[in-house]
Amino acid sequence: MPLEPSTATITALEMSLASTISKGVKSAIKAGGVPAVATAAGVAAVGAVGVKFVLDKPSRKYGEGTVATEYDSWTQDGILEYYWGEHIHLGYYNEEEMKRGYKKKDFIQAKFDFVDEMMKLGGISPDVTTDTKVLDVGCGVGGTSRYLAKKLGSKADVTGITLSPKQVERASELAVEQGVTNAKFMVKDALKMDFPDDSFDVVWACESGEHMPDKKKYIDEMMRVLKPGGRFVMATWCQRDDRKVPFSVKDERDLKFLYEEWTHPYFISIEKYAELIEDTGMMNEVTTADWNEPTIASWRHSVWVGIYDPRGFIFKPTKYLKCVRDAYCLERMHRAFDRGLMQYGMFAATKKNSPGVAEQA
């Protein structure tokens, strides 16, 4: 029986290493007895330590152009889309689903459920938002953009932006395939948007802040292009507020790995993001939440779907090391969120109206 989240404390990679060591020792027993066993076990242990040493050394440090390059690569090899579908973000698992066991839930459906829950948090629905102009900041291959375009109706107009040309290409292909005519995609830097002030009724940002080298500029730009009375909703990985509990040496080492393995410049806390939003002076009261509990299952679930169905990568041997590294990082992410070093930040607010205009409920 697969291990449950509370006891599944080793990665698929570590299980593979354990299996390899076990097989090596058994072979040594047959071949040469106890001395051979000692030698084989020693070599296997050294090999395991060596592999872990390599995996613990981040390989995709943030730099100029690295975000676009990595997402181009992920889009082209097709592995991420095979397993994660159209939505490159975590899924949502309610309390009942967690009690039943997260692996019983469809991994892709969890992502659609996340979007639905994020819409609720932001007060976004066809009932309150008609003829809506939506900006999806960091749209990936456009899964959420197209979903919002469908949910909000044909009068809605959704624009998705990303740094990755390959993501724009794939997002546009899928829009044509699905007959979604009210969603469009473009390569654009979220820190240097050329949209006029007050352009969008909704600004949506899901797991894009992690890659932003200037969090203040990121927030300022999104608030700038949001119309007065418009709705803002954001989901992003955050680190614990170290102003309350300073980071230990281990915390700093773990954060450094998480920054540099998936080309993140740095993370900030939920509290700091809320302060940045408030400091713009443009927004009404900000609602914040930590959605760690309903999302944490996604990290290990994404590893398990690869174990259950290896067809997404098995015929791509040049991608094996990358897949192993990603699985290892997924586990490192799970552990960081599980012990409170990382938090899943959620934010919702409306933009202040001009004087004399009533605020939205």
Side-chain angles (χ1 to χ4, degrees):
M1 174 182 259
L3 298 175
E4 292 302 308
S6 59
T7 57
T9 58
I10 59 175
T11 66
L13 172 66
E14 290 167 329
M15 288 187 281
S16 176
L17 288 173
S19 174
T20 300
I21 292 170
S22 176
K23 290 177 181 177
V25 170
K26 289 177 181 177
S27 296
I29 291 173
K30 292 179 181 179
V34 175
V37 170
T39 301
V43 170
V46 170
V49 171
V51 170
K52 189 174 187 304
F53 175 80
V54 170
L55 294 178
D56 278 336
K57 189 173 182 179
S59 65
R60 289 168 278 192
K61 188 175 180 179
Y62 177 85
E64 185 69 29
T66 56
V67 175
T69 298
E70 286 301 322
Y71 278 106
D72 277 349
S73 176
W74 275 319
T75 304
Q76 285 179 293
D77 67 37
I79 296 172
L80 189 61
E81 186 177 337
Y82 181 89
Y83 290 112
W84 286 51
E86 300 177 35
H87 297 265
I88 310 174
H89 57 75
L90 301 191
Y92 191 95
Y93 304 75
N94 63 35
E95 188 175 345
E96 183 180 337
E97 289 166 340
M98 289 298 289
K99 286 180 180 177
R100 289 202 305 264
Y102 68 85
K103 291 187 290 296
K104 293 181 180 179
K105 179 166 185 171
D106 182 85
F107 183 61
I108 302 299
Q109 183 59 48
K111 297 172 183 300
F112 283 99
D113 291 349
F114 180 94
V115 177
D116 287 337
E117 294 297 325
M118 190 167 167
M119 289 180 70
K120 291 177 188 176
L121 179 69
I124 300 166
S125 77
D127 298 331
V128 297
T129 48
T130 57
D131 300 329
T132 308
K133 290 188 67 177
V134 180
L135 176 64
D136 183 1
V137 180
C139 64
V141 294
T144 297
S145 299
R146 290 185 298 276
Y147 188 70
L148 290 172
K150 296 171 188 175
K151 293 276 283 190
L152 296 177
S154 59
K155 293 183 179 181
D157 181 62
V158 182
T159 301
I161 65 170
T162 172
L163 289 173
S164 166
K166 291 299 180 184
Q167 286 188 328
V168 167
E169 181 182 321
R170 182 61 180 146
S172 301
E173 289 174 354
L174 289 169
V176 172
E177 289 177 15
Q178 297 170 13
V180 180
T181 59
N182 56 334
K184 59 181 177 293
F185 306 94
M186 58 186 68
V187 176
K188 196 176 295 292
D189 186 343
L191 304 185
K192 302 174 184 176
M193 292 189 285
D194 55 5
F195 301 118
D197 295 354
D198 308 334
S199 292
F200 297 95
D201 301 290
V202 172
V203 171
W204 176 288
C206 184
E207 296 187 11
S208 56
E210 299 86 339
H211 293 296
M212 300 297 167
D214 186 337
K215 312 299 188 195
K216 181 180 185 304
K217 185 66 173 173
Y218 172 59
I219 293 297
D220 288 349
E221 275 291 276
M222 290 191 291
M223 303 304 97
R224 179 184 68 79
V225 301
L226 184 64
K227 291 180 181 178
R231 300 173 185 273
F232 167 71
V233 62
M234 177 174 74
T236 189
W237 310 343
C238 298
Q239 62 192 35
R240 189 186 73 232
D241 189 348
D242 64 321
R243 295 172 297 184
K244 297 178 180 178
V245 180
F247 294 136
S248 66
V249 173
K250 173 177 169 51
D251 290 339
E252 291 177 345
R253 184 174 64 246
D254 288 347
L255 285 171
K256 185 175 186 295
F257 175 86
L258 299 181
Y259 296 162
E260 296 183 1
E261 180 57 21
W262 279 345
T263 192
H264 302 120
Y266 61 97
F267 306 133
I268 61 175
S269 66
I270 292 174
E271 293 84 352
K272 184 61 179 175
Y273 265 120
E275 291 167 12
L276 290 176
I277 296 168
E278 291 166 358
D279 286 348
T280 65
M282 301 180 189
M283 305 300 287
N284 294 307
E285 184 177 356
V286 184
T287 297
T288 66
D290 180 359
W291 279 13
N292 184 39
E293 287 190 12
T295 60
I296 193 170
S298 297
W299 301 110
R300 285 181 172 163
H301 201 175
S302 61
V303 175
W304 280 111
V305 293
I307 293 172
Y308 293 150
D309 179 11
R311 289 173 297 176
F313 66 88
I314 200 68
F315 301 113
K316 300 177 180 180
T318 60
K319 304 297 180 182
Y320 284 178
L321 178 58
K322 185 177 181 179
C323 290
V324 169
R325 294 200 70 98
D326 286 339
Y328 188 71
C329 191
L330 287 164
E331 177 63 17
R332 291 284 298 264
M333 279 288 186
H334 170 91
R335 296 183 187 192
F337 277 87
D338 191 46
R339 68 185 177 89
L341 176 61
M342 294 289 291
Q343 299 173 329
Y344 198 94
M346 299 297 300
F347 306 83
T350 57
K351 190 170 182 177
K352 293 177 181 178
N353 272 316
S354 302
V357 180
E359 299 290 352
Q360 292 191 42

